[in-house]
Amino acid sequence: MASAFPKLPGFVPTQEIDKPNFRKVSSTKQEQNREINHLANKEYPVPRKQPIQIPPQSGMFNPDYMSTTHAMHLPKNANNDSEELYQPSWVKMDRHVLRFSGYFKEAVVESALENYRIRKITIFYYLEDHSLSITEPKQENSGVPQGAFLKRQKVLRADDSKTFILPEDFRINRDVIIFGKTIRLFDCDQYTREFYELQGIPQEPSFVPQSDSFETKTMTKFIPQKDTVMKDYLEHKLGGGKVTSQKQFLENDRKVLKFYVFSDIEYILHYYLADDTIEIKEINSANSGRVPFPMMLRRQKLPRKFSLNQPGQTYAEDFIRPQDIQYGQPLIIYNRKFLINGCDQFTRQYYFEKFNVDFPLGGQEEYVQQERSNIIIPPHNGIGDEQDSLGYIYRLQPKPPKKDFFKWVDNQVNLRFLAMFNTTKPEDKDRVFVITFFLNDDSLLVYEPTVRNSGIPDGKFLEKRKYKNVNNNNEFFTPGDLIVGNEVQINGWRFQLLDCDEFTKKWYSENFK
């Protein structure tokens, strides 16, 4: 191998240490070396030939381009035997590869888990030039670099014969030494077996190599048992979770069984068929002397047995079902007895159709609040929004009025009109205004543009809010009330609508025909 180092003692890493001189090699010696390097490789009969590969014709700029191979330049009446007769060995043995599976034992120091590691490898032997390569399959968390173990090259035998390893050196259940590592072969592929049978030296049967502690303990995956009850509890606690059976939910959504039960007072028990959950409500009445708690038991699945166990150790599927609720029988809910006194009409029909049981009606109904007397709503004084003022009439602690969210999002459109005062006063008859109508909340805004040397302050004339149309039974203004050419009265001011912008004209032509 040529070296770029200077031919000086100590600078050439490949030189022989005991070499006394560095004379030039004679031409006769060079011819001998040249003949050794160019000796033809040994040829072997192969089980089957490799198919001729035609290079792909795509990816070239010229559409008439044709890639050429050695097989495309053969004579038309050429014989295959004559073709193989003059083929070199590297053409005959091209793409003929023997594949073996082997392993070697490697010591592991300073580890409490293992003393040695069985490393499995795959050996590829290329008949083209008698070279070989070794790869090692990658293992998860192995702790050693794996993949390409030995790049493709010729390997000398370990018996100091200065000859390369040949196919005869690979035998199943025997060792082969490659660069000081003793590798035991335990398997090969089908093509390799056919190759050796054709040579008259068939391979031995394959066997399973021994396993090490890393493979038995680390590589064997432990499949833990999932605690479905705890998982479902945590999902519902975080606001998630799902119904076990979607079919049950879709068929029984908003179907609720109603029972009248008695413990110390009257209660109402609701059984939700969509997810088999139960809730218990108190029956509150006016002046009962009891604190009006809305719920005796919040909505949940009710187990048949109640016990305080470790997390996950509960009766996962042992919940109360509709067939467990019977008339006249006590229902034990968390060690408290509830006597079933009756049900409503829907529950009675459900039991008759489902279980052929005639469940009696009865029980105390919920307290229905009496209707309020007619409230006289005073007229709006014009201060603030009327919807906000009505909140003080219906509730002692008013709530802000709710807006139509979808209308707010879908109608982000403003209609603009040009208007003037409809008056005979000389100082006001020339004043011009811009009236903007907001479709998302039906509010109005009146703005007066700047007019130089008019002596009248410009800016907002009427603030943005909803105004009533006195000419339409004091209803709030709508787009139908704002027609160009008409007169409108807003908050006591009379405006004559003169014109509108192009977008407003287009909007009216599409929505008012």
Side-chain angles (χ1 to χ4, degrees):
M1 180 181 67
S3 175
F5 288 88
K7 299 298 182 179
L8 296 175
F11 286 88
V12 182
T14 58
Q15 70 181 16
E16 300 177 7
I17 300 177
D18 56 348
K19 189 174 182 179
N21 53 50
F22 301 92
R23 300 193 194 98
K24 290 183 179 182
V25 182
S26 63
S27 60
T28 306
K29 187 68 175 177
Q30 289 181 359
E31 289 296 333
Q32 294 177 0
N33 295 338
R34 190 176 295 111
E35 291 177 359
I36 292 175
N37 295 331
H38 290 79
L39 288 178
N41 294 324
K42 184 179 179 181
E43 297 182 5
Y44 298 92
V46 293
R48 50 185 178 269
K49 299 178 182 180
Q50 294 290 350
I52 299 175
Q53 290 185 345
I54 301 177
Q57 307 302 320
S58 59
M60 305 305 295
F61 295 101
N62 187 2
D64 299 329
Y65 171 81
M66 288 291 292
S67 298
T68 57
T69 59
H70 177 72
M72 297 180 64
H73 294 280
L74 294 176
K76 294 182 179 181
N77 299 323
N79 190 4
N80 294 334
D81 297 335
S82 62
E83 175 190 351
E84 294 180 359
L85 182 63
Y86 296 101
Q87 278 184 346
S89 60
W90 56 270
V91 175
K92 293 180 182 180
M93 298 290 113
D94 184 26
R95 292 178 292 150
H96 290 274
V97 183
L98 307 179
R99 185 175 64 177
F100 297 89
S101 298
Y103 70 93
F104 64 92
K105 185 182 295 187
E106 185 180 51
V108 178
V109 297
E110 298 181 359
S111 176
L113 300 177
E114 53 184 347
N115 297 325
Y116 63 90
R117 179 78 61 87
I118 299 296
R119 300 184 63 176
K120 299 178 181 179
I121 58 176
T122 303
I123 302 175
F124 298 93
Y125 189 88
Y126 303 90
L127 297 176
E128 173 187 354
D129 55 356
H130 299 292
S131 62
L132 60 89
S133 64
I134 302 177
T135 61
E136 182 180 6
K138 293 186 178 181
Q139 293 176 323
E140 186 177 1
N141 298 326
S142 63
V144 295
Q146 296 174 326
F149 190 83
L150 178 67
K151 67 179 181 179
R152 181 175 175 178
Q153 57 184 288
K154 290 184 177 182
V155 180
L156 293 174
R157 291 172 175 168
D159 55 359
D160 296 333
S161 61
K162 294 184 180 182
T163 57
F164 297 112
I165 294 179
L166 296 177
E168 294 79 6
D169 299 326
F170 294 96
R171 305 293 297 169
I172 299 296
N173 203 12
R174 294 186 184 179
D175 296 336
V176 57
I177 301 176
I178 300 177
F179 288 125
K181 290 190 178 295
T182 303
I183 301 174
R184 174 63 62 92
L185 304 180
F186 64 89
D187 194 10
C188 64
D189 59 1
Q190 183 62 28
Y191 176 81
T192 304
R193 291 189 178 274
E194 295 177 4
F195 173 81
Y196 279 95
E197 289 176 359
L198 195 60
Q199 311 304 320
I201 46 175
Q203 293 284 353
E204 296 183 9
S206 304
F207 67 93
V208 179
Q210 60 178 337
S211 59
D212 53 6
S213 58
F214 174 79
E215 185 177 358
T216 55
K217 296 181 180 179
T218 309
M219 298 300 296
T220 303
K221 294 185 178 180
F222 172 73
I223 303 176
Q225 296 182 356
K226 295 183 179 180
D227 191 350
T228 56
V229 177
M230 178 58 66
K231 178 183 177 182
D232 185 69
Y233 167 74
L234 294 176
E235 287 180 352
H236 282 80
K237 188 175 181 181
L238 296 175
K242 61 180 180 179
V243 181
T244 305
S245 175
Q246 296 295 334
K247 180 180 178 182
Q248 177 185 1
F249 173 78
L250 295 175
E251 291 180 352
N252 301 307
D253 186 25
R254 293 179 292 179
K255 294 182 180 180
V256 183
L257 305 180
K258 184 177 182 180
F259 301 93
Y260 302 99
V261 298
F262 177 84
S263 179
D264 53 349
I265 60 173
E266 297 286 343
Y267 295 96
I268 294 178
L269 186 146
H270 288 156
Y271 188 98
Y272 295 87
L273 297 174
D275 54 357
D276 297 324
T277 55
I278 290 177
E279 71 175 7
I280 301 177
K281 297 179 61 177
E282 290 189 3
I283 301 177
N284 298 316
S285 59
N287 302 324
S288 63
R290 300 176 63 89
V291 179
F293 286 105
M295 289 291 177
M296 174 66 180
L297 179 69
R298 64 181 178 85
R299 182 176 175 179
Q300 58 185 280
K301 284 191 175 184
L302 190 62
R304 298 177 189 270
K305 299 180 181 179
F306 171 68
S307 60
L308 296 176
N309 297 326
Q310 296 295 328
Q313 297 181 359
T314 182
Y315 304 96
E317 300 296 334
D318 196 10
F319 297 112
I320 291 180
R321 297 291 185 264
Q323 57 268 25
D324 301 326
I325 304 176
Q326 301 178 5
Y327 174 74
Q329 298 295 329
L331 184 65
I332 309 299
I333 301 177
Y334 293 117
N335 293 338
R336 183 170 180 174
K337 292 184 179 180
F338 288 84
L339 185 64
I340 309 298
N341 293 332
C343 66
D344 62 352
Q345 183 61 34
F346 173 78
T347 307
R348 182 180 184 182
Q349 183 179 0
Y350 175 83
Y351 269 82
F352 184 77
E353 296 176 355
K354 190 77 174 178
F355 308 108
N356 198 18
V357 175
D358 188 9
F359 213 107
L361 301 174
Q364 182 181 353
E365 292 289 344
E366 296 183 64
Y367 173 74
V368 180
Q369 189 176 4
Q370 297 180 357
E371 295 183 0
R372 299 177 181 178
S373 59
N374 296 330
I375 300 176
I376 301 175
I377 301 176
H380 183 53
N381 57 5
I383 302 175
D385 191 4
E386 186 174 358
Q387 297 297 328
D388 290 335
S389 301
L390 289 175
Y392 288 93
I393 297 176
Y394 295 114
R395 297 181 62 90
L396 184 62
Q397 295 180 352
K399 294 183 178 180
K402 294 183 179 180
K403 294 183 179 180
D404 191 348
F405 175 77
F406 295 100
K407 181 179 179 180
W408 179 273
V409 173
D410 298 336
N411 296 282
Q412 295 291 335
V413 177
N414 302 332
L415 306 180
R416 293 180 176 85
F417 302 89
L418 182 66
M420 294 182 63
F421 270 142
N422 190 2
T423 180
T424 57
K425 294 182 179 180
E427 62 273 14
D428 292 338
K429 64 180 182 179
D430 294 332
R431 296 175 65 180
V432 180
F433 299 89
V434 177
I435 301 177
T436 305
F437 185 84
F438 300 89
L439 289 176
N440 52 8
D441 58 353
D442 296 336
S443 59
L444 279 171
L445 172 65
V446 182
Y447 179 84
E448 186 173 6
T450 302
V451 179
R452 299 183 62 182
N453 301 325
S454 64
I456 299 174
D458 58 334
K460 183 169 59 176
F461 184 78
L462 291 178
E463 64 179 6
K464 178 187 175 183
R465 66 182 182 89
K466 297 175 72 173
Y467 292 94
K468 289 187 175 182
N469 187 1
V470 295
N471 298 327
N472 189 17
N473 298 325
N474 282 333
E475 298 290 338
F476 290 109
F477 273 98
T478 61
D481 300 331
L482 303 175
I483 304 298
V484 176
N486 293 350
E487 178 186 339
V488 293
Q489 186 174 351
I490 305 175
N491 203 26
W493 299 91
R494 295 180 179 274
F495 296 93
Q496 184 72 28
L497 300 181
L498 303 178
D499 197 4
C500 61
D501 57 5
E502 292 297 331
F503 176 80
T504 305
K505 292 178 181 179
K506 182 180 178 181
W507 187 88
Y508 270 91
S509 63
E510 294 176 355
N511 296 274
F512 290 88
K513 296 182 180 179

